[in-house]
Every structure is written in structure tokens, then in C-alpha cells.
């Protein structure tokens, strides 16, 4: 992916982001079919995990994908990764962060970019089932949370995951939050995210009346404002700056002790290239891929209408080589 170039008919980071999500082909062959499993969490809640079906009897690898903000197994990148796994005879699982599987979770919480404890609990259960260390991908928010897990686990991460990859992840949350809350990004992307996040948060308030300031949330027009009234206080952070600072993976990349790939496009509308670390800041276990193009989890490829399979194939190759 270092030499990736977008098709000439699809210039610019915004087009590469939006077209890939809406119109590009996402399957190598048959459409991946998932079977859903519900897990009870230690705090009395639940998450839903979708497994690629049918599961191979003895798969050579088990690929796990953590989705991004408001994503799911229906997201184009999840479908593409599952298709690549299917073509290789791998098992594949897509855990849903709380409230993202189509049903509101029960507990007075949701999910966030630094949810490394949840990631670790999910990976441990999947590792026990597979019987060998996993290959793990995190996309956008899921990638930052995955890197935070690897950082906190240190050398112990190797017992659970053979290698990890973060795709287009906002590892400096303050820089990415500021980028998405201004200009075109605020009008299009921030509005799109808030269109699903705010109704789910208001449903959470009805579950747990008084959990947060309902009027402030209804008035939120930026991710900063949403995180300040909902995400931060519900998950143990003082406010948005405290959440973005403590949840960001960038300051801790040198603590990672398993092979970790961090892929970011230079023209990602959400993740300013100036906020990304250089090789001297990440430690010897971390590989940086920085193609100039690709948008946010886009990387469309081929003739019109294109596909989004080149990136998952390259990531899968890298993970398998480092397993």
C-alpha cells in the first residue's frame, strides 16, 4: 500500500472516502454470510459478535475485525475483509461495540476510542476458541482502541494476538476531532455520525433517566460537544479534552511489543497527516504505511466503479507474514 494510487477517475480524499463506502465493489466472490452470537459481558450487558459462516473446521488463521465509529459487519470494509478471509479459508469474526449491532445495549455506557479493556476481553474469548494467536484489524476508532490494547498488554499481547493492524485510525484524537468538526467535514461527516449517535444516546437516557444532560446532548452540533456531554462522562473521563488525551494511541506506540501495522492515507479528511508520528516515535515493533492517497478507509481500486479489496488483501498479507 505504500505505492497505492487512487484511480484517475476518483480524485481527492473526500471522493475516495465517500465513493468507497457507497458504491465500490466489496466482495471477491460470494457475499460473505455471518452468523451472530450474543455474549453476556461481565457487567451484565451484552455484545453481538458476527462470525463468517460456515466456519472452517481447522482454519489456518482467525481474522478479527473491530469496526469504526458507528460501523458494523455491514460496513464496506468489514464486508471486504470478510471476503478476503473467506477466499483464504480463514475464520473471521466481527465483534460489535456496544449498541452497534442494531439493538441498544443495556448498561449505562456505550463505547469509545480508548475502550482497550473491552477489546482485550473480546480477544481473550476468541483466542480461547481458536486455540492460536489471532490476526486482528481495527478500523478507524476500532484501530485506535486496538492499539491502546496492545500498548496496555505489552509483551503479554503475544499470547492473544500474533499481529495487529490499525487502518486509518485517529491516533491523535484531538487533531482528528478538530478536523472533523470544521468546514466541509462538519457539514457532511460530523452530521452523518451525529444522525445515528444522538438518537442512540437519547434512547440510553430513556433507559437510564438523568444519566447525562439531555438538553445539552440534543443541542450538540459537533463531535466535541457530543463527547463532552455523553462519551467522556459515561466512560470515566472528565471532559472531551481529557478523553481525547487519555484515549489517544499516538503517545504510547513505542510500548507495543507485537508486530503492529499503522496505515494512514495522506489525504484522509479525518486524520491530518501532520498529526501522524514518524518512525522514530513508534518503536521497532510498529510498521508505518503512509500512501499519499486513499481517503478515510477508502483505497478504491480498478476501473469504474472500482472495488475496495486491494487494501484488505495487502493487510491480510502483512498480518500472515508476521504471524
Amino acid at each position: 500500500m505504500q505505492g497505492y494510487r487512487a484511480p484517475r477517475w476518483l480524485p481527492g480524499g473526500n471522493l475516495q472516502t465517500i465513493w468507497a463506502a457507497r458504491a465500490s465493489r466489496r466482495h471477491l466472490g460470494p457475499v460473505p454470510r455471518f452468523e451472530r452470537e450474543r455474549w453476556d459481558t461481565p457487567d451484565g450487558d451484552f455484545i453481538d459478535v458476527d462470525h463468517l459462516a460456515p466456519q472452517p473446521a481447522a482454519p489456518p488463521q482467525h481474522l478479527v475485525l473491530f469496526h469504526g465509529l458507528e460501523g458494523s459487519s455491514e460496513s464496506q470494509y468489514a464486508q471486504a475483509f470478510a471476503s478476503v478471509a473467506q477466499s483464504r479459508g480463514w475464520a473471521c469474526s466481527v465483534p460489535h461495540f456496544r449498541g452497534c449491532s442494531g439493538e441498544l445495549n443495556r448498561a449505562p455506557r456505550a463505547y469509545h476510542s480508548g475502550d482497550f479493556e473491552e477489546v482485550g476481553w473480546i480477544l481473550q474469548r476468541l483466542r480461547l476458541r481458536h486455540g492460536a494467536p489471532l490476526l486482528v484489524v481495527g478500523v478507524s476508532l476500532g484501530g485506535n482502541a486496538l492499539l491502546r490494547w496492545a500498548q496496555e498488554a505489552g509483551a503479554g499481547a503475544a499470547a492473544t494476538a500474533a499481529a495487529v493492524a490499525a487502518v486509518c485510525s485517529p491516533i491523535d484524537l484531538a487533531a482528528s476531532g478538530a478536523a472533523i468538526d470544521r468546514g466541509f467535514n462538519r457539514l457532511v461527516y460530523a452530521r452523518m455520525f451525529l444522525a445515528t449517535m444522538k438518537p442512540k444516546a437519547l434512547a440510553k437516557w430513556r433507559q437510564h433517566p438523568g444519566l447525562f444532560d439531555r438538553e445539552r446532548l440534543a443541542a450538540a452540533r459537533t463531535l466535541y460537544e457530543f463527547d463532552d456531554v455523553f462519551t467522556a462522562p459515561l466512560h470515566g473521563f472528565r471532559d472531551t479534552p481529557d478523553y481525547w488525551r487519555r484515549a489517544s494511541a499516538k503517545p504510547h506506540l513505542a510500548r507495543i511489543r507485537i508486530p503492529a501495522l499503522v496505515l494512514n492515507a495522506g489525504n484522509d479528511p479525518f486524520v491530518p497527516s501532520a498529526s501522524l508520528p514518524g518512525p522514530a516515535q513508534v518503536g521497532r515493533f510498529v510498521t508505518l504505511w503512509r500512501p499519499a492517497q486513499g481517503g478515510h478507509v477508502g483505497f478504491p481500486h480498478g476501473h469504474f466503479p472500482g472495488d475496495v479489496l486491494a487494501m484488505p488483501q495487502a493487510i491480510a498479507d502483512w498480518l500472515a507474514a508476521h504471524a
Side-chain angles (χ1 to χ4, degrees):
M1 296 302 292
Q2 287 283 55
Y4 169 82
R5 291 292 182 271
R8 292 192 178 192
W9 53 270
L10 203 56
N14 287 310
L15 280 178
Q16 290 158 23
T17 300
I18 296 168
W19 185 266
R22 301 291 184 184
S24 289
R25 185 167 60 91
R26 56 186 70 176
H27 309 125
L28 284 168
V31 176
R33 182 171 61 87
F34 289 105
E35 293 178 346
R36 178 157 294 181
E37 183 179 16
R38 178 157 292 184
W39 293 356
D40 293 324
T41 62
D43 61 348
D45 204 353
F46 70 89
I47 65 164
D48 290 325
V49 183
D50 285 357
H51 305 288
L52 185 62
Q55 287 284 309
Q61 303 290 354
H62 191 151
L63 179 71
V64 182
L65 183 129
F66 289 97
H67 61 77
L69 183 64
E70 294 299 274
S72 72
S73 61
E74 297 289 325
S75 299
Q76 93 279 2
Y77 52 81
Q79 295 275 312
F81 271 102
S83 183
V84 168
Q86 183 171 258
S87 72
R88 298 175 184 221
W90 294 1
C92 179
S93 299
V94 183
H96 290 87
F97 290 116
R98 302 199 199 192
C100 289
S101 62
E103 183 176 339
L104 191 67
N105 63 303
R106 295 187 291 262
R109 60 156 293 173
Y111 66 103
H112 63 90
S113 296
D115 216 352
F116 64 85
E117 292 178 335
E118 187 94 307
V119 167
W121 177 75
I122 291 168
L123 290 178
Q124 185 178 38
R125 285 195 60 161
L126 290 170
R127 165 69 175 84
L128 290 173
R129 172 177 298 185
H130 182 57
L134 308 163
L135 305 182
V136 193
V137 179
V139 174
S140 196
L141 173 149
N144 185 83
L146 175 62
L147 293 175
R148 288 292 293 116
W149 167 78
Q151 292 158 0
E152 294 295 324
T160 301
V164 299
V167 178
C168 297
S169 296
I171 57 176
D172 181 336
L173 288 166
S176 293
I180 202 170
D181 275 344
R182 63 173 177 253
F184 177 86
N185 288 350
R186 177 176 175 177
L187 292 174
V188 176
Y189 303 119
R191 181 178 292 178
M192 175 190 71
F193 287 130
L194 290 172
T196 58
M197 292 164 64
K198 289 175 66 174
K200 288 199 295 189
L202 292 171
K204 183 62 61 181
W205 190 93
R206 290 191 292 272
Q207 266 187 341
H208 302 277
L211 185 62
F212 54 85
D213 188 329
R214 187 174 183 274
E215 286 69 31
R216 276 188 65 202
L217 185 130
R221 295 294 180 268
T222 64
L223 292 187
Y224 182 101
E225 292 169 349
F226 181 90
D227 284 346
D228 209 47
V229 68
F230 182 82
T231 313
L234 262 64
H235 301 103
F237 302 100
R238 183 175 62 253
D239 51 21
T240 294
D242 183 51
Y243 162 43
W244 286 356
R245 177 182 60 82
R246 290 167 54 194
S248 292
K250 179 182 174 180
H252 312 288
L253 289 170
R255 294 167 53 191
I256 292 176
R257 292 295 179 267
I258 57 173
L261 174 64
V262 181
L263 166 63
N264 291 95
N267 66 351
D268 188 327
F270 302 177
V271 184
S273 59
S275 72
L276 297 171
Q281 298 172 272
V282 301
R284 66 185 182 88
F285 287 90
V286 177
T287 298
L288 301 176
W289 282 359
R290 294 285 168 70
Q293 302 176 357
H296 186 74
V297 201
F299 304 102
H301 171 264
H303 299 294
F304 181 89
D307 64 68
V308 290
L309 295 160
M311 181 269 288
Q313 288 172 326
I315 296 285
D317 287 342
W318 188 91
L319 289 169
H322 289 80

